Amino acid sequence: MAPRCHGYPAGAATATATAVANGRTPGPVPLYGGGSIVELREGRRMTVDGFKLLADAHGYLLTAARGVPAGAWGNATPCSEWTVRQVLNHARLDQQALVMQITDLPPASDPFEPVDAVADDPVAELAAALEASAAAWESERDAESVSTPMGPMPANVGTAAAALDAGLHAWDIAKATGQHLPLTEEMAEALEDIASQLVDFVRDSFGKYAPPVSVPEGASRADRLLAFTGRDPRWSR
């Protein structure tokens, strides 16, 4: 069973990657029986700058990766059954997969089968992937409809979805390796909109999130967001 951790559904990625590998330009792969996450909230528009949010989340993920101690890559993580190495690889591959219909390049491997090994310089490998992902989104900055594994959506929404993925996995890595690198209240607030549109549908349809976790009344925005995505804010090794 795949770890119950954030990501887009593997079936959509597989179909899209197959099209790319066969030399075809993939079309949108609609989820949830049709449409896309943007259509799930009739009349709603993103109220945050997805591009800025993505840059911040990418920075958070890079900072977490840079801070992993040499002996901590094999640590357990909040993503059940995955080590820090696997979470890092999953996060990197997710960013590649989310833009593969822009770049016509599939991720190097299946994001939901991340290898339990890292490159000689995993931070450099991650940085290169994030730079390429950001450049792909930037090439579609003003587009109202960008094809993604989650269906067509405005670029500003796609970047927010990618930011949610990066931000959550940055927290996973930091938490698993003993870094004092919390998800900030500002980032959590900015991620609430896309999380409210995406998380329950992915959880209910594909089981890629664990059930929500209870948090005390008065919990911080960050703790509430983590709990909503099936993470225990108090998780420890």
Side-chain angles (χ1 to χ4, degrees):
M1 178 178 176
R4 302 181 79 178
C5 207
H6 183 268
Y8 62 91
T14 301
T16 306
T18 299
V20 172
N22 290 337
R24 294 184 285 111
T25 300
V29 183
L31 305 185
Y32 322 125
S36 74
I37 63 169
V38 181
E39 297 165 347
L40 298 176
R41 297 290 184 270
E42 190 71 28
R44 283 189 55 183
R45 303 293 292 178
M46 290 290 298
T47 58
V48 301
D49 181 345
F51 285 86
K52 180 183 183 302
L53 183 56
L54 182 61
D56 291 344
H58 278 181
Y60 183 29
L61 181 57
L62 271 172
T63 299
R66 290 190 181 108
V68 176
W73 287 105
N75 285 4
T77 72
C79 293
S80 63
E81 302 176 30
W82 280 353
T83 66
V84 174
R85 288 183 291 258
Q86 289 171 295
V87 171
L88 180 71
N89 287 329
H90 169 77
R92 173 176 52 80
L93 293 166
D94 263 359
Q95 294 300 308
Q96 293 175 334
L98 287 166
V99 296
M100 64 185 172
Q101 288 165 280
I102 301 173
T103 64
D104 288 345
L105 295 171
S109 59
D110 184 347
F112 283 93
E113 295 293 338
V115 297
D116 194 9
V118 290
D120 291 340
D121 190 342
V123 175
E125 183 181 41
L126 175 65
L130 298 185
E131 182 178 0
S133 168
W137 285 116
E138 186 61 36
S139 73
E140 301 285 342
R141 173 175 280 272
D142 297 322
E144 282 297 313
S145 182
V146 179
S147 294
T148 81
M150 294 180 290
M153 63 187 71
N156 194 55
V157 176
T159 49
L164 178 65
D165 192 281
L168 290 174
H169 290 314
W171 181 86
D172 293 332
I173 291 169
K175 194 73 170 175
T177 55
Q179 300 182 62
H180 182 65
L181 196 62
L183 178 66
T184 66
E185 292 292 278
E186 180 182 12
M187 183 174 291
E189 181 178 8
L191 290 171
E192 286 174 355
D193 195 356
I194 190 65
S196 71
Q197 297 187 57
L198 177 62
V199 172
D200 275 337
F201 288 94
V202 173
R203 175 164 36 224
D204 295 344
S205 299
F206 302 97
K208 296 302 180 184
Y209 287 96
V213 174
S214 296
V215 292
E217 185 177 350
S220 67
R221 281 184 182 271
D223 282 0
R224 292 199 304 270
L225 178 67
L226 292 166
F228 178 55
T229 67
R231 290 162 166 82
D232 182 355
R234 298 169 298 279
W235 184 91
S236 63
R237 292 175 55 230

